[in-house]
Amino acid sequence: MRAARLIKMVLLLQSRPSMTAAELAGELEVSERTVTRDAQALSEAGVPVYADRGRSGGYRLVGGYRTRLTGLARHEAEALFLSGLPSALREMGLDDAASAARLKVSAALLPSLRDASHTAAQRFHLDAPGWFHDPATPELLPAVAEAVWDDRLVRARYRRRPAGEVERELAPYGLVLKAGVWYLCARAGDDFRVYRIDRFTAVAASETRFERDADFDLPRFWSERAGQFARSILRTEVTVRLSEEGVRRLPHAVDRAAAEEALASAAAPESDGRRTVVLPVESAEVAFEQLLALGSEVEVLAPAALRERFADTAERLRDLYR
């Protein structure tokens, strides 16, 4: 543990002109006294760590010293490619690996390029979860993530409605973070399936590693399954007349793919510019909530019960604002 900390200290000093004891203590998560002892140990080992005294002092490397300990370990290299997802790294237990990888890359760069990671981080940031909710990190996510990285079979118990819990042996291929929710794409027998991580009640990694299907492509698989799921829940149709503004706003109010397909197959606009569209939706209840956001830009024609509900809502709104 101390050896890794000493290496990290050298890499930190190599990537910056100088650092105070407080800064090093913060980065290494130790006390300033430990930083002093570590600096002395490095100096005794031949690493030219120099301490500048005084209020603005700190530690620095002298003589153009550069360590050769910059080779990336596999888990560090893998984590580096995810470094734009800080919350995801933290939830999977990979933030330390990513931090070490970034340090090694920074130490290997020319001095003129060492601020590249900082300038990039100040210009681009990915915030994956959706608005208005703070998703909890699934307790078993780190265990699942470790099995994914190591290609290890897992024995898992999964909470499935309405059948209760089921137990499966899974080959965990990949993780997907969708709108703040974690999913596992895994092979169960001969089929590839998708599981929500927060529905696992137990996960035990095996010592046995599985052989990956070379043709499996995680982004393509997820895109296909997500599209299939989105289409599978659109079991009802509603017929609506849309103004030009309603046509523009429809893909933002309902499922985008469904809206675009419905608009593409719709008849030409009428003389007043309105278009009649047959739209697949999840249910009449969901359609009411979604289409209500379009206000007077949409007129529901069918089914009759949904049209009556919109008419009743319009009456109550008129009475409210009269």
Side-chain angles (χ1 to χ4, degrees):
M1 190 71 178
R2 190 190 185 201
R5 190 175 71 242
L6 292 174
I7 292 172
K8 186 174 182 178
M9 183 174 179
V10 173
L11 292 172
L12 283 167
L13 293 174
Q14 186 171 306
S15 63
R16 308 179 194 181
S18 67
M19 295 183 69
T20 66
E23 289 172 338
L24 284 169
E27 291 281 356
L28 300 173
E29 298 181 352
V30 296
S31 66
E32 293 186 30
R33 180 168 296 185
T34 298
V35 168
T36 301
R37 289 198 296 265
D38 285 351
Q40 183 177 352
L42 287 171
S43 180
E44 292 173 354
V47 178
V49 178
Y50 180 77
D52 290 317
R53 306 298 179 184
R55 178 176 300 178
S56 59
Y59 293 92
R60 59 186 176 89
L61 294 174
V62 297
Y65 180 85
R66 296 183 63 81
T67 177
R68 295 178 180 270
L69 297 173
T70 54
L72 289 177
R74 172 175 289 275
H75 70 288
E76 293 171 341
E78 291 167 337
L80 185 61
F81 287 101
L82 295 172
S83 58
L85 295 165
S87 61
L89 283 169
R90 183 171 57 254
E91 292 175 6
M92 288 190 291
L94 293 173
D95 47 345
D96 287 341
S99 175
R102 287 192 293 268
L103 273 174
K104 290 181 178 182
V105 170
S106 180
L109 292 174
L110 294 172
S112 60
L113 299 177
R114 284 181 190 161
D115 66 343
S117 61
H118 175 74
T119 55
Q122 295 307 310
R123 286 164 174 79
F124 301 100
H125 176 70
L126 176 61
D127 184 9
W131 290 104
F132 310 123
H133 69 282
D134 186 15
T137 302
E139 182 180 350
L140 295 174
L141 176 60
V144 175
E146 186 174 354
V148 169
W149 287 119
D150 291 344
D151 293 340
R152 293 187 183 275
L153 294 171
V154 297
R155 174 64 62 176
R157 288 206 306 273
Y158 188 73
R159 190 173 62 254
R160 190 176 66 183
R161 304 186 186 93
E165 287 191 359
V166 294
E167 189 167 328
R168 295 282 187 271
E169 183 178 66
L170 304 175
Y173 268 65
L175 291 167
V176 174
L177 178 60
K178 169 71 171 179
V181 180
W182 284 96
Y183 297 88
L184 172 68
C185 302
R187 190 180 67 218
D190 295 329
D191 298 327
F192 283 95
R193 300 179 182 179
V194 177
Y195 301 86
R196 277 184 62 139
I197 300 295
D198 58 6
R199 292 184 184 167
F200 283 115
T201 58
V203 172
S206 167
E207 293 298 320
T208 304
R209 285 187 166 89
F210 65 90
E211 185 174 347
R212 281 179 166 264
D213 183 345
D215 295 329
F216 180 82
D217 182 86
L218 180 60
R220 184 175 68 244
F221 171 80
W222 176 259
S223 178
E224 291 173 354
R225 286 302 174 91
Q228 291 172 8
F229 174 76
R231 289 190 294 273
S232 71
I233 64 174
L234 302 179
R235 303 186 181 95
T236 303
E237 287 185 344
V238 299
T239 305
V240 297
R241 289 181 74 239
L242 297 161
S243 67
E244 293 182 6
E245 177 65 13
V247 168
R248 187 188 69 81
R249 289 166 53 186
L250 184 66
H252 303 286
V254 301
D255 179 81
R256 176 176 290 275
E260 291 175 348
E261 290 178 9
L263 291 169
S265 61
E270 302 167 15
S271 58
D272 61 357
R274 288 184 173 263
R275 299 182 67 182
T276 299
V277 176
V278 178
L279 179 70
V281 294
E282 184 175 347
S283 66
E285 180 67 31
V286 171
F288 175 77
E289 295 177 357
Q290 293 175 333
L291 296 174
L292 194 62
L294 299 182
S296 61
E297 308 301 330
V298 61
E299 176 190 0
V300 175
L301 302 179
L306 183 60
R307 178 179 174 86
E308 290 174 4
R309 186 173 180 185
F310 268 90
D312 179 65
T313 301
E315 288 285 346
R316 287 189 285 115
L317 283 172
R318 187 185 65 177
D319 292 342
L320 181 64
Y321 286 98
R322 179 173 293 170

